[in-house]
Structures are given as structure tokens and as C-alpha cells.
């Protein structure tokens, strides 16, 4: 009987040697997070990605799996971020007529606002004594994840820390845009959507699609342009 | 859909190759995305296979970033002592950048609307 129990206890250890275990865990957490999000009434401050990540971390901790080993298995999922980034070019192309119609305000606002999104965070963290590694992890905080991972790796930051920062930024950006747009009496959905995508990447864009289709289109646009602009500018700035 | 996925993978690989050859400080994915947008603008349309493959990938973006996000729970000690700086940078920084974006955009839209009525 103890032999059977011993073999039972060894299950996580043996199975986790194969990538399919990490894939199964990640997929389960993804669907569980979405389910719980719907059950909680889709709260703005608690997006599904937070719920999924917390559950996944809890399972890894409870089964006392090695995080590094999990991540090696999950590489089968994360390598898809490359083609997924390329895929963002398709909605960008589909919204090209929106860019043409609003090109002046976009051209003026985007470089300044996207730069400031990084500068505010880096300057505040630097003033409070953060290390260069932390600064490099915070700089791409408003950029959509697949692009931000590339930027952070190039700048020599920590990807897990950057991911955490990205998550918090997306959630609070969605809240702040709602509050400040009301306070500044801005009801132009194009402006609200653009601000959501520019500051809050994918999480802000998801929020914008809840407001209206126009807001969503401008959010994807803001997200895509901020990603490209920041990816081109940040590595050059950090080199100086 | 697999055909569309192949196109995405090829653009990504091409982007990576460009980055390596010309030492461009931007990830291969971003270069691939720019090339994809430019190619589509030249062609003037998106094939069904490409559209469905890209939609499928974009709809599971959260799944793709999750293994990275989870890492934040397993590095608590590594950045101890910097959490206050990090939280302040994220909260205050995001507040300021949202405010900047909204004010800028509001001003510029108003100005360009005014110049249009003056024309």
C-alpha cells in the first residue's frame, strides 16, 4: 500500500518532466480564470489574467514544482508570442482609414504621450533609488506584452518584473482613464479609446471594446502605435 | 488557418533575420508586424486564412503571456527593498501619463477642428 502511495506522490514530479504538463496547467488556469471572471461579474479591477496567474502560481507552489522547469515546458506556449506580435499588424492595417481621418492629433499626441508614459515611471523609480535592472523592467510598462518582452530583454531588465508591472499598469490605466475623462469632461470616444490603448495596452483595449466599437478601434490603434514607437525609441534612449 | 499561421511565422522569422543581420535594436516580432502592415497596405486586402490565424492568436494573447506573468510570484526576494519605488512608479506614473494623453489629445483635436472651420 505504501508503495502505491509512493508512486501516487511521484506523479507531479514524473509528469512535469514533459512540456505537455506545463501546457495542461497553463491552459487550465486560463479557462479557470475566465470562468471565475464571469462568475465575479467581470470586475474592472480584477481582469482574468490576474485571476489565472494567481491560480497558476498557487498550483505550482502547492505541487512544489520547480518554476524554472515549468517555464521550460511552457516555452511551447510562449514561443507563439513571436507570430502573435506579427498578427497585430493585421488589425493595424484594418484600421488604417481611422489613422488617415485622425492623423494630425495622432501624430502630435503619440510620440509625446508614449515617451512620457515611460519617462514618468522611470524618473519616479529612479528618484526613489531603483536599480538599473528595475528601471529597464519598468520602462516598457505601457507596451503590449509581446513587444514589451522583446524590449525588456534588449534593455537587460527582468521579464517577470516587467510582466507584473504591465499587469498593474493595464488595470489602473483603465480605472484612471474612466475617472479622468469624466473629470475633464471628455466624451469623444475616439480620445478615450486612444488613451486606453496608449496607456493600458491589451487590458485598456479590452476595456475600450466594452465602451463602444469606435473606442475599441482607437484603443487597438493606440496600443499598436505605442508598441512600435516605444520599441524603436527606448533601446536607442537607453543606449545613451 | 494553418496557412495563415505559416505566413505569420515566416514574417516573424524574416523579422528576426533582419534584426540579426542589420543589428536593429527592435525585436523580430515588431519588425515582422511592421512588414506585415506595409505588405497588406501594398496588397490592399487580407486573405481569410491570414485573418482567421491572426484573430485566433490575438484572442489568446493572455494565455501566451501567462507563463511570464506567473514568474512575478517566484522572484519576491530578488527585488526586495524596491517594491515601494516600483509601486509608486506604476501608480503615479500611470496616473500622470493618462492625464497627459487625455489633455494633449483634447487640445489637439480642438485646435484641428477650429482650423478646419477657419479654412
Amino acid at each position: 500500500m505504501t508503495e502505491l502511495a509512493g508512486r501516487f506522490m511521484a506523479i507531479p514530479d514524473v509528469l512535469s518532466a514533459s512540456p505537455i504538463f506545463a501546457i495542461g496547467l497553463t491552459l487550465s488556469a486560463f479557462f479557470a480564470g475566465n470562468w471565475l471572471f464571469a462568475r465575479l461579474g467581470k470586475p474592472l479591477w480584477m481582469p482574468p489574467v490576474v485571476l489565472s496567474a494567481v491560480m497558476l502560481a498557487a498550483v505550482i507552489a502547492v505541487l512544489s514544482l520547480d518554476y524554472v522547469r515549468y517555464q521550460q515546458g511552457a516555452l511551447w506556449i510562449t514561443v507563439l508570442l513571436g507570430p502573435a506580435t506579427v498578427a497585430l499588424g493585421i488589425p493595424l492595417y484594418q484600421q488604417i482609414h481611422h489613422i488617415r481621418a485622425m492623423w494630425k492629433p495622432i501624430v502630435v499626441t503619440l510620440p509625446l504621450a508614449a515617451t512620457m508614459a515611460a519617462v514618468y515611471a522611470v524618473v519616479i523609480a529612479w528618484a526613489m533609488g531603483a536599480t538599473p535592472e528595475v528601471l529597464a523592467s519598468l520602462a516598457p510598462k505601457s507596451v503590449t506584452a509581446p513587444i514589451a518582452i522583446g524590449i525588456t530583454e534588449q534593455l537587460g531588465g527582468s521579464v517577470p518584473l516587467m510582466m507584473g508591472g504591465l499587469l498593474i499598469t493595464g488595470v489602473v490605466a483603465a480605472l484612471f482613464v474612466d475617472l479622468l475623462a469624466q473629470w475633464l469632461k471628455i466624451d469623444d470616444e475616439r480620445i478615450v479609446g486612444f488613451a486606453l490603448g496608449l496607456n493600458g495596452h491589451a487590458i485598456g483595449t479590452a476595456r475600450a471594446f466594452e465602451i463602444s466599437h469606435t473606442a475599441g478601434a482607437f484603443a487597438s490603434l493606440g496600443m499598436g502605435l505605442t508598441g512600435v514607437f516605444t520599441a524603436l525609441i527606448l533601446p536607442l534612449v537607453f543606449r545613451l | 488557418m494553418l496557412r495563415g499561421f505559416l505566413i505569420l511565422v515566416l514574417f516573424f522569422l524574416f523579422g528576426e533575420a533582419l534584426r540579426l543581420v542589420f543589428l536593429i535594436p527592435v525585436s523580430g516580432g515588431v519588425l515582422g508586424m511592421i512588414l506585415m502592415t506595409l505588405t497588406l497596405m501594398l496588397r490592399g486586402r487580407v486573405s481569410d486564412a491570414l485573418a482567421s490565424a491572426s484573430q485566433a492568436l490575438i484572442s489568446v494573447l493572455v494565455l501566451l503571456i501567462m507563463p511570464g506573468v506567473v514568474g512575478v510570484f517566484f522572484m519576491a526576494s530578488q527585488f526586495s527593498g524596491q517594491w515601494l519605488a516600483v509601486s509608486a512608479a506604476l501608480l503615479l506614473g500611470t496616473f500622470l501619463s493618462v492625464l497627459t494623453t487625455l489633455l494633449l489629445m483634447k487640445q489637439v483635436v480642438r485646435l484641428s477642428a477650429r482650423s478646419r472651420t477657419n479654412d
Side-chain angles (χ1 to χ4, degrees):
Chain A
M1 205 57 208
T2 47
E3 208 180 314
L4 192 71
R7 270 180 287 178
F8 182 77
M9 294 305 286
I11 288 175
D13 210 42
V14 176
L15 285 188
S16 67
S18 157
I20 198 72
F21 188 72
I23 295 171
L25 267 187
T26 315
L27 267 175
S28 312
F30 173 68
F31 284 110
N34 282 335
W35 175 81
L36 192 59
F37 179 66
R39 283 302 297 265
L40 291 174
K42 307 196 173 188
L44 200 58
W45 47 273
M46 187 58 103
V49 59
V50 178
L51 297 168
S52 300
V54 170
M55 281 191 268
L56 188 51
V59 171
I60 293 174
V62 166
L63 295 180
S64 58
L65 300 172
D66 181 16
Y67 173 68
V68 177
R69 199 151 112 182
Y70 159 75
Q71 215 168 24
Q72 277 164 359
L75 205 62
W76 285 75
I77 293 176
T78 42
V79 285
L80 290 175
L81 271 175
T85 314
V86 178
L88 292 174
I90 285 119
L92 208 59
Y93 159 74
Q94 286 165 336
Q95 281 143 29
I96 210 92
H97 61 282
H98 281 301
I99 310 183
R100 293 215 173 107
M102 280 272 278
W103 72 270
K104 240 192 246 171
I106 288 171
V107 165
V108 176
T109 311
L110 181 92
L112 247 154
T115 309
M116 291 319 283
V119 167
Y120 285 135
V122 170
V123 168
I124 292 170
W126 173 78
M128 292 180 72
T131 60
E133 192 191 2
V134 170
L135 295 184
S137 316
L138 289 179
K141 74 178 185 60
S142 284
V143 177
T144 184
I147 302 180
I149 290 174
I151 299 177
T152 303
E153 279 171 351
Q154 227 123 38
L155 300 181
S158 146
V159 172
L161 179 60
M162 180 277 291
M163 284 294 210
L166 214 66
L167 201 66
I168 295 168
T169 302
V171 175
V172 296
L175 283 174
F176 287 153
V177 170
D178 275 358
L179 288 174
L180 288 173
Q182 228 166 49
W183 183 61
L184 295 168
K185 298 193 173 56
I186 297 174
D187 49 12
D188 188 335
E189 284 172 356
R190 298 173 305 176
I191 299 179
V192 173
F194 194 71
L196 277 169
L198 195 153
N199 293 291
H201 52 91
I203 299 173
T205 303
R207 166 72 193 130
F209 271 110
E210 284 175 10
I211 297 174
S212 77
H213 201 74
T214 315
F218 269 84
S220 329
L221 181 63
M223 174 176 81
L225 291 177
T226 304
V228 175
F229 180 80
T230 314
L232 292 171
I233 292 298
L234 265 188
L236 293 175
V237 174
F238 257 73
R239 229 183 240 178
L240 299 178
Chain B
M1 187 158 120
L2 262 184
R3 197 188 293 265
F5 183 67
L6 174 62
I7 298 173
L8 294 175
V9 170
L10 289 178
F11 268 78
F12 173 69
L13 293 174
F14 188 54
E16 281 285 291
L18 279 181
R19 179 178 72 86
L20 292 171
V21 173
F22 296 104
L23 300 173
I24 306 171
V26 177
S27 70
V30 176
L31 290 175
M33 173 175 79
I34 297 170
L35 288 171
M36 176 61 79
T37 312
L38 293 177
T39 309
L40 292 175
M41 284 170 76
L42 284 175
R43 280 194 73 209
R45 60 178 206 89
V46 186
S47 71
D48 289 346
L50 189 57
S52 60
S54 78
Q55 214 154 36
L57 272 178
I58 291 173
S59 67
V60 295
L61 265 183
V62 166
L63 175 71
L64 306 187
I65 64 171
M66 230 159 55
V69 171
V70 170
V72 84
F73 295 104
F74 296 93
M75 48 150 223
S77 57
Q78 202 182 337
F79 297 103
S80 59
Q82 304 201 43
W83 289 115
L84 197 64
V86 170
S87 328
L90 291 175
L91 296 179
L92 192 59
T94 305
F95 180 83
L96 289 174
S97 76
V98 167
L99 189 64
T100 310
T101 314
L102 285 174
L103 284 176
L104 252 171
M105 198 76 177
K106 191 185 177 189
Q107 281 309 316
V108 180
V109 168
R110 187 188 292 163
L111 284 178
S112 66
R114 193 178 300 164
S115 72
R116 202 169 298 153
T117 47
N118 286 348
D119 283 345

